[in-house]
Amino acid sequence: MIERAHVLICSGSMCVSRGAKSLRSEFEEHLTRLGIRDEIKLVNTGCVGLCEQGPFVIIYPEGVFYALVKNKDIKTICEEHLYKGRIVEKLVFDEAMTDEKEIKAFDEIKFYSKQTRVALRNCGLINPDDIEEYIARDGYRGLGKALLEMTPLEVIEEMQASGLRGRGGGGFPTGLKWKFAYQNESDQKFVICNADEGDPGAFMDRALLEGDPHAVLEGLMIAGYAIGADKGYIYVRIEYPTAIEKLKIAISQAKELGLLGKNIFGSGFDFDIEIRLGAGAFVCGEETALIASIEGGRGMSRNKPPFPAAKGLWGKPTIINNVETLANVSAILYIGAKEFAKIGTEKSKGTKVFSLGGNIKNAGLVEVPMGTTLREVIYEIGGGIPQNKQLKAVQTGGPSGGAIPESLLDMPIEYETLVEAGSMMGSGGMVVIDEDNCMVDICRFYLEFTVDESCGKCTPCREGTKKMYEMLEIISSGEGTLEDIDRLEKLAKMVKSSSLCGLGQAAPNPILSMLEHFREEFEAHVVDKRCPGGVCKPLIHLEITKDCIGCTKCATNCPVDCISGSIKQLHEIDTSACIKCGICKNICPVDAIISV
Amino acid sequence: MKSLDDLKKIRDAAQRKVTMRGKNEGTRILVGMATCGISAGARPVMNKLVEDIAEKDIPNVTVTPVGCIGECAIEPIVEVLEGEKRTTYCRVDVDVAERIINEHIIGGKVVQDNLIGKYRL
Ligand SMILES: Cc1cc2nc3c(=O)[nH]c(=O)nc-3n(C[C@H](O)[C@H](O)[C@H](O)COP(=O)(O)O)c2cc1C
Ligand code: SF4
Ligand code: SF4
Ligand code: FES
Ligand code: FES
């Protein structure tokens, strides 16, 4: 029986955690009951990108996009849509419906139409457990072309012509890195895929591995061929069990088809891939620490040079590339460097995947051409800030990056522009910060993370991050002075310049960039003893304004009973007893409670 | 995997698995599948269309069930959409379905006998 419809069920980690796990068995049950099981193909895919609105079910050939799907909805979808051909309007994703109630197909939705999918080309579209679906979408053609029609040097030149730069954070030109490793002669060389993904909140690499593992394997093999390595490792954190499982399946399927192993494509090239699990320490994403960890040692960084391209794993020339970088590699070999280089800007070619989070409506995974502005990403793709709040800043680069203020939102996204603005591309975390956040508090959050993650080998980072964290605590408690802010800045600069590895060198970045753009907010904490974002507890006072309608909700819910007032009367908070939990503020139906 | 040809073979065979996903700009065949359509025998008609398309390996044609078209008396109804052009057939049975595929989809000639105009005056 030939299937007339394909039902794609997003089975990315986010959707699974939101209840997508049993959707498939629901479909099986109802389709069988209706006697149409044979007519419909069920496909579990990777993340489709709009995680916040998941679980998703997409039905082809119409391309209807169902969002927030629950188990009980499956019966309706089967009976109405699949059996009778009536689209279940109430389940269709909001933005996939025009004002005239017409249903837009998947790729006409604004969230997608503004994106360009290169690395994520198959994510959410194919079954990652079926190598044939990857091959049907021209998978492994790039590898075949490299092995049979190009010399290793030509592959490297193609990479250089594409302008691809590392997506793991540093932005180093990929082709150039390969060239170094190519030129270093050795009896043995290695390639490593860095799937450590340590930035809090980032999940681009996980989504790629879960949704399209072959794209990464193919990229790794091409890298191996180019530098002359016959062995590859994928270093992935143990907290990513689904990604690991998908990789294992992909590797065994590739072996079965002879795409991994001896004499691939009859070219004489042999290649083998092994998965190595990391315990999930941030520093192990740093390349020298990662190598130490694969070798079985403690994950600690060492001085560079020598760079891994000269002396890497077990002292042999080694290339380390990020997951997303490798997914781009396989695309470039297939579409050609010329086509790839048409995407993006002069200095930053191609696209970048971001995990969009924080105060944003369409939180999820987006891939945009370099040169897209932050404003486009946030307002057109991301759908803007919920509750029409004011945007304060966008944080990029995670604990190693900085914050870009609203005034710079029209800046195009490029490696250089982000650095000029005091932040960086990083691996792709993008956190939207609205007016109700405090910049001192956000710095504290990142520093708490780096204090925990510092490997402790060098003093500036080990002691410096701790000290900076303490100073931020003092400022946020209102007990700091203007001198404290200056001292914090001085210390931050010192840690930045004297730490051994990228972790310590970048740990002060959130502080430095926030001081550059939001210094007045720090000053408000020490001079006016006020937290403008209304976050730092010691500095906030809750107050009830005249807007109070006397509903008594706040009084009923206050855990320490410090709100008084009778029904339909203006209420009042006893600020000396208030523990500033904020419950009342969140519950007030007319927003009459404000923090001052 | 011994050559690019081997890969191409797998690719060509597997493509049918995924072509349906993505933009569908080819011909669409809609089959009225509301309760009335189903009771009038629309399901075997749809199955026949799907099977023939697969068997004859016709590219860029999809079959989709749709809700009530509002002409319950002359069901099963099948509509062929080619760009802006819409051809509506009614009282379609398995034999007519076969003719639609052979004469209309492959041959490019409308099956006059079952055009809706003949039934609705
Ligand atoms: C503290 C620290 C953590 C890092 N974490 C990661 C990571 O999780 N994933 C990653 O790909 N690169 C990470 N990097 C960057 C890697 O050291 C390396 O530059 C990168 O994997 C190279 O690949 P690319 O050129 O393809 O970007 C980290 C660097 C530092 C200093
Ligand atoms: S900078 Fe931090 S993480 Fe890096 S070596 Fe020093 S202590 Fe370890
Ligand atoms: S919840 Fe708001 S409106 Fe209701 S009594 Fe409290 S302050 Fe007044
Ligand atoms: S996991 Fe389903 S949309 Fe991201
Ligand atoms: S306890 Fe008073 S506001 Fe929550």
Side-chain angles (χ1 to χ4, degrees), chain A residues 387-402:
Chain A
Q387 298 161 342
N388 282 320
K389 290 251 168 70
Q390 185 66 37
L391 179 138
K392 192 190 281 190
V394 186
Q395 210 279 347
T396 65
S400 316

Side-chain angles (χ1 to χ4, degrees), chain A residues 192 233-235 276 289-297 313-314:
Chain A
I192 299 175
Y233 289 92
I234 301 178
Y235 186 83
R276 284 301 171 99
L290 188 154
I291 287 173
S293 170
I294 293 187
E295 288 172 348
L313 193 57
W314 292 299

Side-chain angles (χ1 to χ4, degrees), chain A residues 15 92 107 189 201 262 265 274 292 298 333 337 372 392-393 396 456-457 507 548 556:
Chain A
C15 282
V92 174
D107 37 20
K189 295 179 189 178
K262 297 259 176 255
F265 282 118
E274 214 179 289
R298 258 188 81 178
L333 260 277
T372 306
K392 192 190 281 190
T396 65
K457 185 168 175 173
C548 171
T556 327

Side-chain angles (χ1 to χ4, degrees), chain A residues 2 4 6 36 39 43 60-62 83-86 107 125 130 132-133 136 138 140-141 257 265, chain B residues 1-4 7 11 14-15 17 20-24 33 38 43 46-47 50 54 64-67:
Chain A
I2 295 294
R4 64 173 163 86
H6 290 192
I36 55 170
E39 299 170 14
V43 187
Y60 286 103
E62 304 95 313
Y83 193 70
K84 294 183 185 160
R86 284 194 289 234
D107 37 20
L125 203 68
D130 185 352
E132 288 187 8
E133 294 205 354
D138 291 314
Y140 289 112
R141 285 256 292 247
L257 284 186
F265 282 118
Chain B
M1 194 69 56
K2 288 290 156 248
S3 67
L4 272 182
L7 184 72
R11 171 177 168 268
Q15 263 195 335
K17 281 185 163 183
M20 189 184 290
R21 301 171 216 167
K23 271 210 167 67
N24 281 300
M33 289 285 250
I38 293 172
R43 192 153 291 282
M46 183 178 67
N47 291 344
V50 172
T64 317
V66 293

Side-chain angles (χ1 to χ4, degrees), chain A residues 542 558-563 573-574 577-585:
Chain A
L542 294 172
C558 175
V560 295
D561 279 335
C562 70
I563 304 181
I573 298 180
D574 172 3
C578 172
I579 57 166
K580 299 166 191 177
C581 66
I583 291 176
C584 54
K585 185 167 183 257

Side-chain angles (χ1 to χ4, degrees), chain A residues 544 548-554 571 588-590 592-593:
Chain A
I544 300 185
C548 171
I549 53 171
C551 71
T552 74
K553 275 205 176 118
C554 57
H571 281 51
C588 175
V590 294
I593 303 185

